Amino acid sequence: MKAKSKKVVIFGVLDTAELAHYYLTHDSECEVVAFTVNEQYIKEPFFKGLPVIPFEMVETMYNPDDYYFFAPMTGRRMNKNREEIYNQAKQKGYRFVSYISSRVSRFDNEIGDNCFILEDNTIQPFTSIGNNVVMWSGNHIGHHGAIKDHVFFTSHVVLSGHCLVESYCFFGVNSTIRDFTTLGEGTLVAMGSNITRNTEPWGVYVGNPALKKENIKSIDAY
Ligand SMILES: CC(C)(COP(=O)(O)OP(=O)(O)OC[C@H]1O[C@@H](n2cnc3c(N)ncnc32)[C@H](O)[C@@H]1OP(=O)(O)O)[C@@H](O)C(=O)NCCC(=O)NCCS
């Protein structure tokens, strides 16, 4: 069997980390060697048979010159949790891997680091994807667009052609975005909503056509 070329430490010990371990092990050139979380969250010394290391000292055990980092976390706090860990690992000197499923349809798109792009995403030509972007399964990402950093696509989102997605946006399941639309920074598109106009930064948009909605209590959960 061909030796795996990159040794990787994954941040997390919950579902997303378990999925990342599965996908990297079965569908990448990466070998997962350890998990890491902040010390206060360590309950067991091992996960998936691998050591769980306090994040505060991970660089002393897994030298950033020799090991890569992967933090494919959820969209909580509008992707800010994932951004914080991404920045902290970068400060420790780590380089990141991106996981791009072998079952993605894509072309020569520019794709940044620490991205987690699962099966059945279609990414059309001339659309770029920034750093720390998650695309769960089955999204359509149209042509001639740009997706900035720390964005989260859940599943079966249709992003039409020529769209600009600013950083921190979150797209709920089955949402649809009209072509030539700009999504302002931190836009939350509710599940099943149809965006027909440009959105304002940090707005929550709900319905068909989607309208900006105030006082959504659970926004912090995303
Ligand atoms: C927009 C969203 C964040 C609001 O969550 P919330 O604050 O918990 O909202 P609630 O469930 O309390 O609903 C508030 C109201 O908005 C309505 N509403 C919520 N989401 C809606 C949607 N997508 N479309 C239409 N109406 C919606 C609810 O019916 C409710 O109406 P009511 O006050 O008349 O009863 C959430 O509905 C959503 O879309 N989350 C994304 C879910 C997702 O895609 N998950 C993927 C798995 S990662």
Side-chain angles (χ1 to χ4, degrees):
M1 202 168 84
K2 205 174 145 200
K4 299 234 174 192
S5 57
K6 292 179 179 170
K7 294 186 188 307
V8 178
V9 177
I10 291 177
F11 186 93
V13 287
L14 299 177
D15 288 4
T16 312
E18 185 173 23
L19 285 164
H21 173 266
Y22 183 90
Y23 282 116
L24 288 184
T25 302
H26 294 281
D27 184 35
S28 85
E29 290 306 304
C30 301
E31 177 191 352
V32 182
V33 295
F35 293 87
T36 182
V37 287
N38 291 100
E39 190 160 20
Q40 66 184 116
Y41 296 110
I42 296 182
K43 294 201 175 85
E44 303 286 342
F46 293 94
F47 182 60
K48 313 298 294 181
L50 297 171
V52 180
I53 309 297
F55 183 55
E56 291 80 355
M57 54 169 290
V58 64
E59 69 277 17
T60 64
M61 297 178 73
Y62 293 91
N63 187 328
D65 291 340
D66 302 325
Y67 295 91
Y68 288 80
F69 204 86
F70 192 38
M73 299 159 61
T74 66
R76 277 193 204 289
R77 288 181 53 237
M78 290 303 291
N79 302 299
K80 295 268 183 177
N81 284 7
R82 197 169 73 256
E83 181 197 26
E84 280 168 21
I85 298 301
Y86 172 82
N87 286 337
Q88 287 169 21
K90 199 159 237 191
Q91 275 163 18
K92 288 174 187 283
Y94 282 108
R95 295 158 295 164
F96 295 83
V97 296
S98 278
Y99 170 73
I100 303 166
S101 169
S102 60
R103 298 176 206 178
V104 163
S105 295
R106 63 168 167 143
F107 300 85
D108 49 0
N109 312 78
E110 195 182 309
I111 298 179
D113 59 17
N114 203 48
C115 291
F116 193 38
I117 303 182
L118 304 189
E119 62 276 7
D120 300 329
N121 279 285
T122 295
I123 307 169
Q124 292 190 320
F126 310 120
T127 290
S128 59
I129 297 172
N131 298 319
N132 202 25
V133 170
V134 176
M135 289 181 177
W136 219 256
S137 49
N139 300 291
H140 168 90
I141 305 296
H143 57 95
H144 290 100
I147 296 165
K148 300 288 184 67
D149 299 335
H150 320 301
V151 171
F152 200 112
F153 289 83
T154 57
S155 290
H156 292 223
V157 176
V158 175
L159 182 76
S160 303
H162 291 275
C163 286
L164 169 61
V165 177
E166 296 287 1
S167 298
Y168 308 107
C169 290
F170 179 97
F171 296 87
V173 286
N174 268 318
S175 54
T176 301
I177 319 301
R178 182 186 191 163
D179 48 325
F180 291 94
T181 303
T182 295
L183 284 291
E185 184 178 275
T187 297
L188 190 160
V189 184
M191 56 190 179
S193 299
N194 288 352
I195 298 284
T196 59
R197 299 271 181 268
N198 294 349
T199 65
E200 291 172 21
W202 305 103
V204 178
Y205 287 82
V206 181
N208 181 15
L211 300 175
K212 192 173 168 202
K213 195 162 169 132
E214 308 294 340
N215 304 321
I216 293 274
K217 292 190 209 82
S218 70
I219 186 162
D220 282 349
Y222 288 98

